[in-house]
Amino acid sequence: MTTETPTSTEAAAPIPHDDYVHGYSVAETRRLGDQADTLAELLHAGTAYPAGSRVLEAGCGVGAQTVHLLAASPGVRLTAADLSAASLDQARARVAAQAPAADVTWHHGDLHRLPFPDGSFDHVFLCFVLEHLPDPAAGLAALRRVLRPGGTITVIEGDHGSAFFHPETPAARRTVDHLVGLQARAGGDGLLGRRLHPLLTEAGFTRVAVRPRTVYADDARPALVEGFTRRTFVAMVEAVRADALAAGLTSREDFDRGIAELRRAAEPGGTFHYTFFKAVAVRP
Amino acid sequence: MTTETPTSTEAAAPIPHDDYVHGYSVAETRRLGDQADTLAELLHAGTAYPAGSRVLEAGCGVGAQTVHLLAASPGVRLTAADLSAASLDQARARVAAQAPAADVTWHHGDLHRLPFPDGSFDHVFLCFVLEHLPDPAAGLAALRRVLRPGGTITVIEGDHGSAFFHPETPAARRTVDHLVGLQARAGGDGLLGRRLHPLLTEAGFTRVAVRPRTVYADDARPALVEGFTRRTFVAMVEAVRADALAAGLTSREDFDRGIAELRRAAEPGGTFHYTFFKAVAVRP
């Protein structure tokens, strides 16, 4: 593995990202790892690049998806880019531990201003990134530039509007809505999954194919209840508590009641449903 | 095909069903046929009963699912029951046209009070029925009685809370909520899909396995946009207009705006998502 220094001044000055809705805490890093491990099969199935392919992972974060990408595509030449140097450090450590032989170039920079020549990559992969961009179509267009004609882009996104559960209460629903509201205030879109087809089309990709990948957990699937409902989804909503209170969106009592009621979906007799969307499209 | 006269006085006096939320109009019968044909592969995949099996379809309605059940399970001995004599007449005509050789006994009666001895059937099938019952667990318990030990029950239900779309507007969302609200007033539950696992467990079934079956339509799937988004879902919501107005839930302007905005999900750049749930469980 090699580390690359950005060659463009723009790339060396990433846009501020203090408002990344999920934050950069240790608990959040653990949550992202739990989420990625629980969902790896669901999200990565069908994505396997030939050995030797030049692959860009845009917005690799702490490397939660990177290790799964590398496991499914041994022998690729991966460039993993992120806006956060601290996240890249964690990603590098994670890959060193789990895929020490992998060929990875680390790039600290903004995916809108990548310093790579046109058509540098055979494939681009990004997971849970577009939802945080103020203008996701512009981000996709920037990635299209570095993809060779005929190359593919694979995009995975969630959609918090796809979450429903049993029992479902107004307070529990409001806590989910607070996550969506805070993400919108930070310039993102927690409901992005449903927009993948029009966004990729707008950004100039062709053969856009979007497929839902649904997680459904009930008493028959205790590992999924624990790994997804409780440790991924409820944990993600719970993590915005301080921000939701600071923003005046809710009261301590209402938020805590909502979380307590949301947790019932992970208790006996509860059910939980969430849909991710996976898109594959081609640069013409 | 034979027609059976109910043998119990209770079964001969079905409970009133004037408040069936979707009504019994010609347009509704056509909608149910469109829906069943569009979704047949999605919903019926995996359900094939051995020839000679004694199968009960509880709540066969106009036979929209019956013809698909028979196509997937040639040679079964089917009993198809419904509360509405008029619907049974339509079901009989549909089956005569599409599966003239099928062995079907028609039963006019209430699934809560079937006149059949305990353990009369090897398999029970019901689709879009529980959502209309005031006490779905009681309905399931009544069906458990006529199922032999080791026999299976297969239940398919929607969940209107699973519907989300792009673009999504408050008025469009409210029209969907009106459908759910009217169904609740009629004693049903338009959000039943998410409750299948606890309901079947509560009704005494074992090995309960529930799987989501997701419909997702975008510009890449024009047949699904037309057959599902427009002619199934939007048509279903639109059909409650008069009832929603009569119930004072909405104004003419708001409802019509909501439908117009909902229709945009079926126009270029729009997307639509809906999840059905299919459960299979065993009578212990």
Side-chain angles (χ1 to χ4, degrees), chain A residues 173-194:
Chain A
R173 172 57 57 190
R174 281 196 297 275
T175 61
V176 178
D177 291 345
H178 294 325
L179 171 62
V180 175
L182 286 166
Q183 191 160 349
R185 284 177 182 220
D189 181 3
L191 310 177
L192 194 132
R194 70 189 74 180

Side-chain angles (χ1 to χ4, degrees), chain A residues 159 161-166 168 173 193-198 201 208-212 214-216 218-221 269-271 273 275 277, chain B residues 159 161-166 168 173 193-198 201 208-212 214-216 218-221 269-271 273 275 277:
Chain A
D159 189 313
S162 74
F164 61 94
F165 34 96
H166 174 71
E168 185 164 320
R173 172 57 57 190
R194 70 189 74 180
R195 294 170 58 204
L196 273 180
H197 194 285
T201 304
V208 181
V210 179
R211 296 287 179 274
T214 296
V215 182
Y216 165 72
D218 62 28
D219 288 341
R221 312 181 193 201
T271 69
H273 170 285
T275 295
F277 290 88
Chain B
D159 189 313
S162 74
F164 60 95
F165 34 97
H166 174 72
E168 185 164 320
R173 171 57 56 189
R194 71 189 72 180
R195 294 170 57 204
L196 273 180
H197 195 285
T201 304
V208 181
V210 179
R211 297 285 178 275
T214 296
V215 182
Y216 165 72
D218 62 28
D219 288 341
R221 312 181 193 200
T271 69
H273 171 285
T275 295
F277 289 89

